Amino acid sequence: MVVATQSVQDLCINSVRFLAVDAIEKAKSGHPGLPMGAAPMAFVLWDQFMRYNPKNPGWFNRDRFVLSAGHGCMLHYALLHLTGYDSVSIEDIKQFRQWESHTPGHPENFETKGIEVTTGPLGQGIANGVGLALAEAHLAAKFNKPDCTLVDHYTYVILGDGCNMEGVSGEACSIAGHWGLGKLIALYDDNHISIDGSTDIAFTEDVSKRFEAYGWHVLHVEDGNTDLAGIAAAIAEAKKVTDKPTMIKVTTTIGFGSPNKCNTAGIHGAALGGDEVKLTRENLGWNYEPFELPADAVSHMRKAIERGASDEAEWDSTWAQYKTKYSQEAAEFEALISRQLPAGWDSVLPTYTPEDKGLPTRKHSETCLNKLAPVLPGLIGGSADLTHSNLTELKISGDFQKGQYQNRNIHFGVREHGMGAICNGIALHGSGLIPYGATFLIFTDYMRAAIRLSALSQAGVVWVMTHDSIGQGEDGPTHQPIETLASLRAIPNLTVIRPADGNECSGAYKVAITNAQQHSPTLLAFSRQNLPNLPGTSIDGVAKGAYTIVDCQGTPDIILIGTGSEVNLCVSAAEKLAGKKVRVVSMPSFELFEAQDAAYKESVFPKAVTKRLAVEAAASFGWHKYIGTEGDTVTLDRFGASAPGGVCMEKFGFSADNVLAHAHALLG
Amino acid sequence: MVVATQSVQDLCINSVRFLAVDAIEKAKSGHPGLPMGAAPMAFVLWDQFMRYNPKNPGWFNRDRFVLSAGHGCMLHYALLHLTGYDSVSIEDIKQFRQWESHTPGHPENFETKGIEVTTGPLGQGIANGVGLALAEAHLAAKFNKPDCTLVDHYTYVILGDGCNMEGVSGEACSIAGHWGLGKLIALYDDNHISIDGSTDIAFTEDVSKRFEAYGWHVLHVEDGNTDLAGIAAAIAEAKKVTDKPTMIKVTTTIGFGSPNKCNTAGIHGAALGGDEVKLTRENLGWNYEPFELPADAVSHMRKAIERGASDEAEWDSTWAQYKTKYSQEAAEFEALISRQLPAGWDSVLPTYTPEDKGLPTRKHSETCLNKLAPVLPGLIGGSADLTHSNLTELKISGDFQKGQYQNRNIHFGVREHGMGAICNGIALHGSGLIPYGATFLIFTDYMRAAIRLSALSQAGVVWVMTHDSIGQGEDGPTHQPIETLASLRAIPNLTVIRPADGNECSGAYKVAITNAQQHSPTLLAFSRQNLPNLPGTSIDGVAKGAYTIVDCQGTPDIILIGTGSEVNLCVSAAEKLAGKKVRVVSMPSFELFEAQDAAYKESVFPKAVTKRLAVEAAASFGWHKYIGTEGDTVTLDRFGASAPGGVCMEKFGFSADNVLAHAHALLG
């Protein structure tokens, strides 16, 4: 096929394709995806349907676009460049996948304006898309008025075979179908090829039928390579169905245009190579130099700037009307999307004295959530089918359900991973919503990829994890975290907090909400079992990560360090260490402590005090940084057991007596 | 409903139900599942279809039964007791969920004979079931002869709504449909209730249609509470379809028989309570005391002993014929199922000298796998769609596919979690197969729940992880592990090995295969990039976890400790530390080092040497145990970046010069 003259549409599509071809040839290594087959659907979407403002990428009411098949990121960078975003210059494209470029190997929202979420780990993007669509549905239900539609945008996702094989996408799409999120439109790039070869070797299910089973509206474009009208018709039809998300299967040819490599796995994981690039240029009638763009294509696509400005101006006018007519709601909306926390919001967090009744910290968490719910209208979340164990229900709200999108209690079902990615999407909607997601601490294992992405992509999520140790009890070792705290503490940019009592729970939520507002996730670990309120604990103490709650005169002989449910054991043991100078440090958060200055750190853990005993009903891994070579731990480096929680704690050595024995041994 | 007289079937079913009721009442706490609705399907299965030998629970050719809805474990314990397994006495049942009992809160294969796999974390069991069925299909294809069917059993799974919401079950069931594993039969206990309430709140998809989309044979029993004939007919029909797995949706009533709590979420998470127990006994016409069993029920169900002995005797006769007719295959079969490793198997592992060409350790891994494949016929596995990146193909074999079950290269598709749980199932088939599963190290996050279960449930799997650091390069921070090694090292009973070169790769496989044979999993972390072969490395060194590869005379001034791709930086830096007494320790495995005696540990890391520098392109978390309070690290406590791997390494400080600078700083 030699194309003598090309329509402007073809010029645009081939501009996308060859920007990617040229960038990938230049970068050479890795396994970037060439968007030869996906370019037409993306072009039609961006050219005819999507509303966005290249000169104001953060415009609130823009349609959200997620490239769930993140390895095809050059598709997205090419579109950003061609439509006139300042974030991706031609120089940036030439720096594809290079040190400190704005065009990394997978789309990163924190690197490139115009990218909504960070994708690459497969299946995450479509699940983020569910979160973005949920956020839109929630805000629309909350703020829109019959005569004034303030919140009104679509979420478009392009996903591939890999995304559709991942369980996380199945979880998220099942719940999206349940919720009937009609403004979520997914284009499935059905190209039959994954890295190992034809999808025939591992993926022969009927994807369309599966999405129908989820309750989605499903369409099929048979020739996604060239049938632009068919793609446009499908998207238009998708928009007509308002009570179901739509999945448009768009059948394409991977590497379309490459005479020798199209429809092969070879093209999935590597550059075309010089000779094949030449043949592909010839085949698609592309007579331009590398990185050269036809003026007609650029001018056509840059119309997006004018269109975007016009769309935004129209919305501004709606917003102006809204402010006049609905000043109270407008103020709330403005506060929300500007991400302001109301002055004094944290004053609702309760404090306690040792005389107050001891409760499980998950119960204190419930109190905090319910105190915060009225003052933080953006707080929205729920549990993966453990609402009444995690205690995460906001009593002032109903359930978020189809037709009840204004509500704030989300039932995620037994879908931890989907929950995680959906929460990330809600946070990255950027509208001031503060999502929280809850399950048992052990089941962070199911959603770890999403938790990591919250930390990487600056998603201000609050992860509410309960049943945080062998104190979980009867459910046994499959349900009892051992290594879980260590594994989470090791994640960069994630703050992990394990509070000891009521005051520390309030302190934990103060940090978590502040972090969320600052685009940073926090993971809270709460006990199943009752814990006493301790002397010396405080909201401010939590913010420092570790602080002295019981002290002695002069340099301590020994420091007992506890977290969460074990701090009270340290306090009890300290009382029994008659004649010894004992300090008890509560250390709810390693990360918060590491953020303190050296003088504060020395004040809590003086170098001179080498007898240090850490007590935590979890793995010892990571504790030696604080106990040093002469310290000791009362920890647990084996799996737990099924028995009542109190029995487990006692048998595994988490008793004041055993702490005391270890302290005596250390003191010699 | 008052039942005056009961059929023996009803007596059996109610025996199962009330053993569970009584055990759960006695244990009180937690959220065990009452098998009131599931008891009939389980009874029919165990009474009419399943082949098993209560007096020889490990009989090779038994049907495998997995209770994927593991919280209903009392169902399984009751069946084990009633059919005559010695592992569950009535006393054991009275000790349900108590310290050191054989009846823990979820089924644990390592605690209770007759339990095949450890379930509880939802969705794992059905995915393990796919692995069990895969193992059967593989061994049948390999060993069965037209005139002698040696391997021939079903895998039956009972799963619930929770399992069906989890992504891992979707992944495993999709690939099971692709493979057409006809002897996998899953009974879906469709009771409409999960912990948060009616499944209507979060789970309204059409499960049957979804399974049809996966390529399964799907049946429905509308009244699973009482229609025993319908259940039996469905299982019989399932067995007739030999080229597809079958999912039988069995609609039941949760808490069947409880007049006030049936069909409520209340019954999912708690005991019935005394009054309701009384009413339920009345309602089901159950006049027996707690833990009392009708003699007719016991004698009916104990017929399983005779049946099992007969089935086993029949199989023994087949086996005897097989040995006569096919002595060579019989010898191989016997070696396999007795879990013998052939004498001298490890002699095939290659060794290297520094003169040998440097290669990526993933390439050495490929060599080891291919050297081992001929000598270890039980080695079987593959990758989650990264075969040619992970380099895990066994060249002597074809692909495991429908109709090609004798082959050993498994294409799992982009389904890391499903792969993990399937590998666990293969290992726990107990037939000497050594499964391996591969992906990028970072994507252990997707399959962490399965990796943890391999460690907990003593599944001898080899986890082959490549692209083990920022050396991954261009794919960027979503694909670059930072905290991953630490998070895995923290898991009890999992050996993590990060080899430095060719010799250490051989050493890593020697440990991994030995571990697998001893029911213990190993995780191997390999580099994407080339690494030199180093002086002093050895297979035996790896087995010790940490060992000196470059040493000095007398007490070292400083010890440089490296793992994997950073060991060579330590060697280079040591060469440049002129005039200093330098030791270089290669530390491929924390866990293997911890298993050494104190004298050996002191010999590698003498207490007197406090200047220690750990070098690893990963988080520092966990290293202070070895570097002490006066040591330092060259590590990375932030996310990576998209750039060529070598650039990432250099920019983030993983160069001999930077190691040298840190060493100089430490030496003062």
Side-chain angles (χ1 to χ4, degrees), chain A residues 582-600:
Chain A
V582 184
R583 170 178 295 179
V584 176
V585 170
S586 177
M587 191 165 187
S589 174
F590 285 24
E591 299 82 9
L592 294 171
F593 182 68
E594 288 300 326
Q596 305 305 308
D597 62 27
Y600 180 75

Side-chain angles (χ1 to χ4, degrees), chain A residues 357-568:
Chain A
K357 191 184 166 205
L359 293 170
T361 49
R362 63 177 167 144
K363 189 77 192 164
H364 290 297
S365 165
E366 181 183 43
T367 301
C368 289
L369 282 169
N370 278 285
K371 292 279 186 188
L372 290 168
V375 294
L376 299 177
L379 192 65
I380 180 170
S383 162
D385 198 44
L386 290 169
T387 303
H388 305 296
S389 297
N390 301 142
L391 303 177
T392 44
E393 192 175 50
L394 306 181
K395 315 274 190 219
I396 61 166
S397 181
D399 288 348
F400 180 95
Q401 292 289 0
K402 188 169 186 171
Q404 302 293 324
Y405 298 134
Q406 76 285 3
N407 290 330
R408 293 155 67 185
N409 287 309
I410 304 175
H411 289 284
F412 291 101
V414 191
R415 303 182 181 96
E416 298 83 8
H417 201 174
M419 172 175 74
I422 291 169
C423 285
N424 289 345
I426 297 171
L428 295 174
H429 192 255
S431 46
L433 296 177
I434 301 177
Y436 63 93
T439 182
F440 288 164
L441 179 61
I442 189 68
F443 297 133
T444 56
D445 279 359
Y446 272 68
M447 55 187 292
R448 188 172 165 88
I451 293 173
R452 183 184 210 256
L453 276 166
S454 75
L456 175 63
S457 67
Q458 302 172 4
V461 181
V462 183
W463 304 114
V464 179
M465 299 297 154
T466 71
H467 297 60
D468 71 349
S469 76
I470 49 166
Q472 206 276 357
E474 290 87 348
D475 281 345
T478 55
H479 284 55
Q480 294 168 346
I482 299 291
E483 73 287 5
T484 318
L485 287 167
S487 80
L488 294 163
R489 286 171 180 150
I491 299 178
N493 300 358
L494 178 69
T495 303
V496 177
I497 311 180
R498 185 169 187 247
D501 67 359
N503 289 330
E504 290 200 355
C505 282
S506 290
Y509 271 98
K510 182 168 176 181
V511 171
I513 298 298
T514 306
N515 278 351
Q517 192 263 337
Q518 292 167 3
H519 307 281
S520 181
T522 308
L523 187 139
L524 309 176
F526 297 114
S527 75
R528 175 189 183 198
Q529 71 273 29
N530 270 348
L531 300 176
N533 286 297
L534 297 170
T537 57
S538 70
I539 290 176
D540 291 345
V542 171
K544 292 178 179 162
Y547 64 112
T548 299
I549 60 166
V550 173
D551 212 358
C552 53
Q553 293 289 328
T555 305
D557 298 323
I558 189 169
I559 303 177
L560 307 181
I561 315 164
T563 86
S565 51
E566 288 68 68
V567 179
N568 74 81

Side-chain angles (χ1 to χ4, degrees), chain B residues 419-501:
Chain B
M419 171 175 75
I422 290 169
C423 285
N424 290 344
I426 297 171
L428 295 175
H429 192 256
S431 46
L433 296 176
I434 300 178
Y436 63 94
T439 182
F440 288 165
L441 180 61
I442 189 69
F443 297 133
T444 55
D445 279 359
Y446 272 67
M447 55 189 291
R448 189 172 164 87
I451 293 173
R452 183 184 211 258
L453 276 166
S454 74
L456 175 62
S457 67
Q458 303 173 5
V461 182
V462 183
W463 305 113
V464 179
M465 299 296 154
T466 71
H467 297 62
D468 71 348
S469 77
I470 50 165
Q472 206 276 357
E474 292 88 348
D475 280 344
T478 54
H479 285 54
Q480 294 168 346
I482 299 292
E483 74 286 6
T484 318
L485 288 168
S487 80
L488 294 164
R489 287 171 180 151
I491 299 178
N493 300 358
L494 178 70
T495 302
V496 178
I497 311 180
R498 186 170 186 246
D501 68 357

Side-chain angles (χ1 to χ4, degrees), chain B residues 138-168:
Chain B
H138 175 66
L139 295 171
K142 196 160 170 171
F143 291 105
N144 288 353
K145 302 289 178 183
D147 64 344
C148 208
T149 302
L150 189 61
V151 182
D152 178 22
H153 72 76
Y154 285 86
T155 299
Y156 295 104
V157 179
I158 292 182
L159 74 167
D161 291 304
C163 291
N164 269 330
M165 283 189 255
E166 290 286 6
V168 61

